[in-house]
């Protein structure tokens, strides 16, 4: 059901759904999570490379440089010659396709070989019939679905929340509402922060989902399988807003007035926590 929408500048989804009333957000891109171990005959080697869910491409490049003991920037420069099998929409940018997993390292490993391994793994994970059918069902192509999954990865407080976060994204897109997510602004500014200011939301960037309609031009992180499943098969619901009132208590609603009450409760918890420090 179509709900009344207040003026655009009052609807601000932030990290995990916080809005302009509180002007705070959180995007923890480097959280270490459990990742699947890829089965391979080359498992024995100098050491594995662990890529956590939600890492950005820049973090992956630095990790590859470190594990291979290469000068900083070497892996990023290798993109020019790596010949990665990326979708046409990516325009050579592997963001979203550096699949989170544990990768084996041996004396033959190079930046190009590791990046290719990650992209090839992503292609296998993302090319199945379930993903394709789900993308079409949501009026998306696969690359756009990976972009949605990357935002789900960044915004959801828990894996259990991912399906609802994905639904909020699709619901807002269907209603012509800006996504207004702090995680996309943080990506544009190449930062992680607990706060997003009003001036941040005026940033001139295609990743500013406060000012620009629709999806950002690329994924904003490398999503794992749970986030991709949520993007392909979001939970059913009419939610347009969400806020993490406190750890373990994220509330979703389609009612803006109810959302304001949830935000007020979040603010009370935040003030209480600050006062107890």
């Amino acid at each position: 059901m179509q709900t009344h929408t207040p003026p655009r500048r009052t609807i601000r989804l932030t990290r995990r759904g916080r809005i302009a009333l509180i002007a705070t957000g959180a995007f923890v891109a480097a959280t270490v999570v459990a990742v699947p171990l890829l089965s391979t005959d080359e498992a024995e080697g100098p050491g594995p490379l662990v890529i956590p869910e939600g890492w950005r491409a820049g973090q992956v490049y630095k990790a590859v440089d470190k594990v291979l003991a290469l000068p900083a920037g070497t892996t990023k420069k290798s993109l020019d010659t790596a010949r990665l099998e990326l979708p046409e929409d990516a325009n050579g940018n592997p963001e979203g396709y550096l699949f989170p997993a544990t990768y084996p390292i041996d004396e033959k490993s190079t930046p190009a070989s590791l990046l290719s391994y990650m992209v090839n793994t992503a292609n296998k994970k993302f090319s199945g019939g379930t993903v394709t059918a789900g993308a079409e069902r949501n009026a998306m192509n696969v690359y756009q679905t990976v972009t949605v999954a990357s935002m789900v990865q960044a915004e959801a407080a828990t894996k259990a929340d991912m399906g609802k976060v994905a639904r909020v994204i699709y619901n807002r897109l269907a209603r012509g509402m800006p996504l207004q997510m702090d995680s996309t602004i943080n990506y544009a500014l190449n930062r992680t922060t607990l706060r997003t200011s009003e001036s941040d939301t005026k940033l001139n960037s295609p990743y500013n989902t406060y000012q620009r309609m629709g999806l950002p031009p690329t994924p904003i992180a490398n999503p794992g399988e749970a986030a991709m499943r949520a993007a392909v098969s979001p939970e059913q619901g009419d939610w347009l807003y969400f806020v993490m009132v406190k750890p373990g208590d994220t509330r979703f609603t389609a009612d803006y007035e109810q959302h304001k009450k949830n935000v007020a409760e979040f603010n009370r918890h935040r003030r209480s926590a600050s006062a107890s420090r």
Side-chain angles (χ1 to χ4, degrees):
M1 182 177 66
Q2 183 71 33
T3 57
H4 176 68
T5 302
R8 175 181 294 188
R9 61 192 181 93
T10 66
I11 309 173
R12 292 189 55 201
L13 283 181
T14 67
R15 169 74 167 109
R16 300 168 186 166
R18 301 172 190 176
I19 61 171
L21 297 173
I22 55 176
T24 57
F27 174 54
V28 183
T31 302
V32 177
V33 296
V35 293
L37 178 64
L38 297 177
S39 59
T40 175
D41 295 335
E42 301 177 3
E44 294 183 4
L49 170 65
V50 179
I51 304 301
E53 296 171 353
W55 264 17
R56 299 171 184 166
Q59 293 172 290
V60 176
Y61 303 151
K62 290 179 182 178
V64 174
D65 285 343
K66 183 176 181 180
V67 77
L68 296 181
L70 296 171
T74 300
T75 299
K76 186 175 182 179
K77 291 177 182 177
S78 75
L79 291 173
D80 294 335
T81 57
R83 297 184 178 180
L84 303 177
E85 296 293 330
L86 295 165
E88 185 176 349
D89 288 350
N91 293 316
N93 180 355
E95 190 73 88
Y97 281 75
L98 301 176
F99 193 79
T102 300
Y103 295 91
I105 302 295
D106 63 23
E107 65 278 1
K108 296 180 181 179
S109 297
T110 66
S113 70
L114 287 172
L115 294 178
S116 293
Y117 199 163
M118 296 176 202
V119 171
N120 291 342
T121 302
N123 284 330
K124 291 177 183 177
K125 298 288 187 180
F126 300 160
S127 63
T130 300
V131 172
T132 302
E136 292 177 353
R137 187 168 56 249
N138 295 315
M140 299 275 170
N141 62 31
V142 172
Y143 187 73
Q144 291 169 323
T145 302
V146 174
T147 301
V148 171
S150 73
M151 289 188 289
V152 169
Q153 187 77 65
E155 295 284 339
T158 66
K159 281 184 168 60
D161 288 337
M162 286 182 170
K164 290 183 177 181
V165 171
R167 178 53 65 191
V168 169
I169 292 172
Y170 289 127
N171 284 348
R172 291 177 74 90
L173 290 173
R175 287 161 176 74
M177 298 171 67
L179 296 179
Q180 297 179 318
M181 294 193 176
D182 286 0
S183 55
T184 63
I185 289 181
N186 285 337
Y187 184 78
L189 295 173
N190 192 29
R191 70 180 187 188
T192 58
T193 181
L194 296 178
R195 292 186 179 276
T196 296
S197 68
E198 191 67 29
S199 63
D200 289 338
T201 67
K202 299 176 183 179
L203 177 71
N204 182 18
S205 168
Y207 291 92
N208 184 353
T209 55
Y210 288 88
Q211 299 292 332
R212 297 173 185 257
M213 301 296 291
L215 297 174
T218 72
I220 61 168
N222 293 283
E225 290 185 273
M228 193 63 182
R229 283 195 299 270
V232 168
S233 300
E235 291 193 30
Q236 294 301 311
D238 60 354
W239 312 293
L240 295 171
Y241 314 96
F242 61 99
V243 58
M244 187 181 71
V245 174
K246 57 184 177 180
D249 184 8
T250 299
R251 300 182 190 176
F252 295 79
T253 183
D255 187 305
Y256 183 64
E257 294 304 316
Q258 180 59 52
H259 184 59
K260 289 196 293 185
K261 293 177 182 178
N262 293 340
V263 170
E265 186 171 347
F266 161 77
N267 281 325
R268 287 195 295 272
H269 281 287
R270 186 181 61 165
R271 287 192 296 269
S272 177
S274 298
S276 64
R277 291 175 184 171

